[in-house]
Amino acid sequence: MNYFPDEVIEHIFDSIASHRDRNSISLVCKSWHKIERCSRKKVFIGNCYAIDPERLIGRFPCLKSLTLKGKPHFADFNLVPHEWGGFVHPWIDALARARVGLEELRLKRMVVSDESLELLSRSFANFKSLVLVSCEGFTTDGLASIAANCRHLRELDLQENEIDDHRGQWLNCFPDSCITLTSLNFACLKGETNLAALERLVARSPNLKSLKVNRAVPLDALTRLMSCAPQLVDLGVGSYENEPDPESFAKLSAAINKCTSLRCLSGFSEVAPRCLPAFYPICQNLISLNLSYAAEIQGNHLIKFIQFCKRLQRLWILDSIGDKGLEVVASACKELQELRVFPSDLHGEEDNDAAVTEVGLVAISAGCRKLHSILYFCKQMTNAALITVAKNCPNFIRFRLCILEPNKPDHITSQSLDEGFGAIVQACKGLRRLSVSGLLTDKVFLYIGMYAEQLEMLSIAFAGDTDQGMLYVLNGCKKLRKLEIRDSPFGNAALLADVEKYETMRSLWMSSCDVTLGGCKRLARDAPWLNVEIINENESNGMEQNEEDEREKVDRLYLYRTVVGTRKDAPSCVTIL
Amino acid sequence: MRDRSELEVGKSNLPDESELELGLGLSLGGGAWRERGRILTAKDFPSVGSKRAADSSSRQGASPPRSSQVVGWPPIGSHRMNSLVNNQATKVAKADKEEEEEGEGKKKVDEAKDVSMKVNGKVQGLGFVKVNMDGVGIGRKVDMRAHSSYENLAQTLEEMFFGMTGTTSREKVKPLRLLDGSSEFVLTYEDKEGDWMLVGDVPWRMFITSVKRLRIMGTSEANGLAPRHQEQKEKQRNNPV
């Protein structure tokens, strides 16, 4: 029974934004379920094949914002064929036909076509925000449709997509009447940009807070852009290869000095180190700095810059910063919450002393006590370092460590890194995401199963000894949602031990493990509410050859819970059991 | 200096030992140890195979494969990976220019044979480039450093794609099949600016500094050099509207 009229309850629900909380609310009673679903504006779908658009619209007719994720995470590393799936078109089509008042669409790892973008741009009069992350399949022609037809567009954010750049005039397609832009990010475009069109667009967008340009925008253009947008909060710089002459440098400095609201800085591909000093005036305001694409800037220049960024909360950097650089970060950036250190040179191997090691990681943990998220690529690690890090930073929510060489042990004791990771999961009670690497036995999974109570996502590569390892995780981590494993000796016994577990998870990925076709078939039989997908090497031979031999090991297995059964759009290299 | 036995500690279900003879010496768990070539091995580079094995064994004994030689490892997004490869290619190109200006003739001769170049005393590799072939579900990667000429590269690609598909309807391969326009397939590449070009038009050294990825496409599609347009049609065909 409700003590309040529905409108009041709806009003209360309006202040609850988290989709998880709203999901919980909808389970309380039928009445709340109804009120909740009719008032829901934002929906998040972590796996686009778990549900279909018709059911989505049926349940949430008033939805305004939709987030969809397509391909599994390992697609980022070329482990999933391009045509595997994740097509957004059926969704846009269904939303258009149902006349949903869509205003925002956020896609990750989906296949988007120019047709889809055109349909999107024409179907939703109030469309405001398009965010595409790691998507592919479209060209700048599709962007032109969005620019031309979305009268109220506020945000166009393209992050790390594969876009065919037709060098067209998509920027010109924004009509003169378009003055509502708040965010424009086209850093991932590879071709030339119509600078004049861009400058006119920026000049007539007084609300523009975030601008991230691509490589093709040179220094003098950047100066002009910043001059007409001093209100910018988030800037992605393109490239400027040549050292600027004193006059250009002075103009750039003047423009930067006016951008007193600037808080986030990124880009800097192909940048001459001397240009970085131009940004010194705004260093102390920065809360986010992404120099992970700035391969040209050497460690010492980076250090000089970062030491002034006292308010930094987020730092993405290349390992060329070195341990010394990280020590500077540790002493200067006391507000740091998130750090990502990417490798800068994959072929340098042993002769590269400048890259980061466990020493840098320990220094960061000692200096940056607010750190809660880390992604760290390095060549070596020790248990002692990890144990120290765990002691220093028990607040980790995300801990992702990637030791570049598979199976590498503690480089001082030559032991496995079980104890180190064990210390991390034991100390960090709020840990939600973990990626492990280096030499690891089943023991590390015993620790993970025992201590990582909040763990939702676990990534495993080249680790473990027997099925027991995987079993520890499946049995122990009650909140596990995504498990992705590659090149580890886990087989059918682990896969089949607790089929019901997969109903509590979004998905499981296993590649180059020991599960066999027979095991997967059995799983598919026992759990019809799962889609069990086998991804094969070759499109043509598919399953015919292997049908006879159920002992054949499966190359790539991807399974996920779904309420809509087998999908119809799988390519021939994918077999759904 | 580490030998294989250390890495095998604790692994109870190893695949057949004979399948581990990769010339790279690492024992890993998992099932992909068949002649499917998911991990590039010396067998994939018949013309330079012995050179590579000699290289790695002279440097490190029976050492593990470099992290960059395992497919999908290290786990860096392809967008970022491409950027890394580009940067290294740019550095090499710049080094090239500098060396030419300084007139180091001898070095040039050496480099014609050895694709790995030294910049400021450090070896800069050009890295792996993705290769896709129309009609084949999964892409491959090829190490540009391991090749010294177009013929070399074509041969590697032939073995990669035609050795694997197992369909006999394809033409019997000829050495210059991909480069002379006589077969039903043509080799194209995407350069640093994002343009798709036919492979073979520019000098090899220029090519390797600008290639970002490769694609083997049907000759009919490549006519008029409008591959991008054709690519879109392909994608649309796959897209169930």
Side-chain angles (χ1 to χ4, degrees), chain A residues 75-83 87-90 111-116 137-139 160-162 164-167 188 190-191 215 241 270 290 292-293 295-296 316 318 342-352 377 402-409 414 437 439-440 461-466 486-490 511-514 536-540 552-553 555-556 569 573, chain B residues 2 6-7 9-13 15 26-34 36-39 59-60 64-68 70-88 90-91 94 121-128 130 132 135-141 143 145 164-165 167 190-196 212-213 228-229 231-232 235-236 238-241:
Chain A
D76 285 353
F77 319 129
N78 295 332
L79 290 177
V80 176
H82 281 289
E83 66 276 21
F87 305 107
V88 77
H89 200 88
V111 176
V112 180
S113 66
D114 287 343
E115 278 69 20
S116 304
F138 59 106
T139 77
E160 310 211 334
N161 303 288
E162 287 292 324
D164 271 347
D165 196 332
H166 285 172
R167 316 277 165 75
C188 59
K190 293 170 250 186
R215 292 187 130 124
E241 289 189 43
E270 289 163 57
N290 180 356
S292 62
Y293 281 95
E296 298 285 310
W316 290 25
L318 290 171
F342 295 96
S344 56
D345 177 11
L346 296 175
H347 308 295
E349 305 309 332
E350 337 296 306
D351 50 353
N352 185 358
F377 283 85
C402 178
I403 300 164
L404 289 169
E405 195 185 301
N407 285 306
K408 188 154 182 179
S414 295
S437 58
L439 182 65
L440 296 166
F462 307 103
D465 306 315
T466 71
R486 63 165 291 175
D487 293 277
S488 300
F490 306 135
S511 58
S512 304
C513 296
D514 289 350
N536 303 306
E537 279 281 314
N538 283 318
E539 169 189 293
S540 50
E552 188 84 352
K553 287 190 188 163
D555 198 35
R556 277 161 290 179
D569 59 4
C573 57
Chain B
R2 203 181 310 128
E6 236 183 69
L7 298 164
V9 165
K11 296 202 191 293
S12 51
N13 35 346
L26 177 71
S27 119
L28 299 172
W33 298 103
R34 279 173 284 261
R36 288 188 289 179
R38 283 201 66 231
I39 293 183
R59 255 193 293 149
Q60 292 159 332
R66 296 204 278 235
S67 67
S68 50
V70 177
V71 172
W73 189 266
I76 299 172
S78 31
H79 192 265
R80 193 174 287 281
M81 197 63 118
N82 288 338
S83 176
L84 259 184
V85 169
N86 272 345
N87 284 328
Q88 289 179 335
T90 313
K91 278 185 191 159
K94 280 191 186 154
K122 279 173 132 196
V123 172
Q124 292 287 342
L126 297 169
F128 283 77
K130 230 169 26 173
N132 284 87
V136 175
I138 193 68
R140 301 292 303 275
K141 271 183 174 182
D143 186 353
R145 293 171 301 161
M164 272 178 52
T165 56
T167 55
E190 185 183 6
D191 70 5
K192 274 167 52 181
E193 267 99 50
D195 286 317
W196 282 92
K212 279 174 50 199
R213 57 178 161 148
R228 220 178 282 115
H229 187 57
E231 254 181 69
Q232 287 313 304
K235 283 167 186 164
Q236 288 156 32
N238 288 333
N239 205 343
V241 173

Side-chain angles (χ1 to χ4, degrees), chain B residues 4-54:
Chain B
R4 273 211 289 162
S5 57
E6 236 183 69
L7 298 164
E8 290 173 18
V9 165
K11 296 202 191 293
S12 51
N13 35 346
L14 284 175
D16 192 8
E17 276 288 287
S18 61
E19 288 173 318
L20 293 175
E21 285 308 316
L22 299 179
L24 299 171
L26 177 71
S27 119
L28 299 172
W33 298 103
R34 279 173 284 261
E35 190 57 52
R36 288 188 289 179
R38 283 201 66 231
I39 293 183
L40 296 175
T41 71
K43 293 177 205 158
D44 285 332
F45 303 104
S47 51
V48 294
S50 50
K51 181 179 191 300
R52 177 191 285 283

Side-chain angles (χ1 to χ4, degrees), chain A residues 276-447:
Chain A
L276 209 49
F279 288 91
Y280 282 169
I282 50 107
C283 271
Q284 73 263 30
N285 298 333
L286 288 182
I287 59 173
S288 168
L289 181 60
N290 180 356
L291 294 175
S292 62
Y293 281 95
E296 298 285 310
I297 304 181
Q298 274 126 25
N300 48 349
H301 294 283
L302 286 175
I303 294 170
K304 264 201 201 156
F305 188 78
I306 293 175
Q307 68 186 337
F308 296 122
C309 303
K310 305 268 186 217
R311 293 211 199 132
L312 212 55
Q313 292 173 18
R314 198 170 92 133
L315 176 62
W316 290 25
I317 199 95
L318 290 171
D319 62 3
S320 46
I321 193 175
D323 287 334
K324 288 275 167 289
L326 289 179
E327 281 161 22
V328 172
V329 173
S331 64
C333 309
K334 295 300 184 192
E335 303 298 312
L336 198 65
Q337 296 174 21
E338 178 186 333
L339 174 67
R340 296 197 190 189
V341 180
F342 295 96
S344 56
D345 177 11
L346 296 175
H347 308 295
E349 305 309 332
E350 337 296 306
D351 50 353
N352 185 358
D353 289 331
V356 301
T357 69
E358 75 277 13
V359 171
L361 183 60
V362 169
I364 288 286
S365 72
C368 307
R369 294 310 175 100
K370 297 190 180 177
L371 196 63
H372 59 61
S373 289
I374 190 158
L375 170 60
Y376 198 79
F377 283 85
C378 59
K379 294 194 161 88
Q380 62 189 47
M381 188 48 57
T382 64
N383 283 311
L386 287 174
I387 291 168
T388 307
V389 169
K391 246 195 293 235
N392 289 339
C393 286
N395 298 321
F396 275 119
I397 300 175
R398 287 169 215 104
F399 189 86
R400 297 157 70 188
L401 177 65
C402 178
I403 300 164
L404 289 169
E405 195 185 301
N407 285 306
K408 188 154 182 179
D410 179 320
H411 76 94
I412 292 180
T413 67
S414 295
Q415 289 181 340
S416 72
L417 290 171
D418 298 336
E419 297 308 313
F421 281 105
I424 294 284
V425 292
Q426 198 173 356
C428 304
K429 309 243 186 284
L431 195 68
R432 300 208 299 252
R433 183 168 179 184
L434 177 65
S435 300
V436 297
S437 58
L439 182 65
L440 296 166
T441 72
D442 283 347
K443 198 151 193 230
V444 72
F445 300 115
L446 171 68
Y447 290 140

Side-chain angles (χ1 to χ4, degrees), chain B:
Chain B
M1 211 71 71
R2 203 181 310 128
D3 63 47
R4 273 211 289 162
S5 57
E6 236 183 69
L7 298 164
E8 290 173 18
V9 165
K11 296 202 191 293
S12 51
N13 35 346
L14 284 175
D16 192 8
E17 276 288 287
S18 61
E19 288 173 318
L20 293 175
E21 285 308 316
L22 299 179
L24 299 171
L26 177 71
S27 119
L28 299 172
W33 298 103
R34 279 173 284 261
E35 190 57 52
R36 288 188 289 179
R38 283 201 66 231
I39 293 183
L40 296 175
T41 71
K43 293 177 205 158
D44 285 332
F45 303 104
S47 51
V48 294
S50 50
K51 181 179 191 300
R52 177 191 285 283
D55 263 352
S56 46
S57 54
S58 63
R59 255 193 293 149
Q60 292 159 332
S63 61
R66 296 204 278 235
S67 67
S68 50
Q69 291 168 347
V70 177
V71 172
W73 189 266
I76 299 172
S78 31
H79 192 265
R80 193 174 287 281
M81 197 63 118
N82 288 338
S83 176
L84 259 184
V85 169
N86 272 345
N87 284 328
Q88 289 179 335
T90 313
K91 278 185 191 159
V92 166
K94 280 191 186 154
D96 252 5
K97 261 209 290 203
E98 282 165 16
E99 281 169 3
E100 279 170 20
E101 278 157 21
E102 287 167 28
E104 289 182 29
K106 181 180 185 302
K107 211 139 195 241
K108 271 198 200 176
V109 168
D110 287 342
E111 279 160 4
K113 296 175 200 155
D114 178 2
V115 168
S116 260
M117 289 171 241
K118 289 196 191 289
V119 177
N120 298 329
K122 279 173 132 196
V123 172
Q124 292 287 342
L126 297 169
F128 283 77
V129 164
K130 230 169 26 173
V131 192
N132 284 87
M133 176 166 166
D134 288 355
V136 175
I138 193 68
R140 301 292 303 275
K141 271 183 174 182
V142 63
D143 186 353
M144 299 308 293
R145 293 171 301 161
H147 299 85
S148 52
S149 69
Y150 286 118
E151 285 76 8
N152 228 203
L153 176 66
Q155 198 174 358
T156 298
L157 295 178
E158 280 165 32
E159 274 152 22
M160 263 188 198
F161 285 93
F162 291 89
M164 272 178 52
T165 56
T167 55
T168 51
S169 59
R170 305 233 200 267
E171 282 182 13
K172 194 71 189 96
V173 297
K174 296 180 284 231
L176 294 173
R177 168 193 59 90
L178 285 174
L179 301 173
D180 65 5
S182 62
S183 85
E184 56 183 290
F185 292 97
V186 127
L187 182 60
T188 61
Y189 73 101
E190 185 183 6
D191 70 5
K192 274 167 52 181
E193 267 99 50
D195 286 317
W196 282 92
M197 324 270 274
L198 274 180
V199 164
D201 287 340
V202 301
W204 173 254
R205 301 259 303 286
M206 201 187 296
F207 168 68
I208 54 178
T209 60
S210 60
V211 62
K212 279 174 50 199
R213 57 178 161 148
L214 294 164
R215 185 173 152 203
I216 303 173
M217 63 173 75
T219 317
S220 51
E221 279 198 36
N223 278 338
L225 266 186
R228 220 178 282 115
H229 187 57
Q230 303 305 325
E231 254 181 69
Q232 287 313 304
K233 286 203 171 140
E234 282 285 5
K235 283 167 186 164
Q236 288 156 32
R237 272 202 282 274
N238 288 333
N239 205 343
V241 173

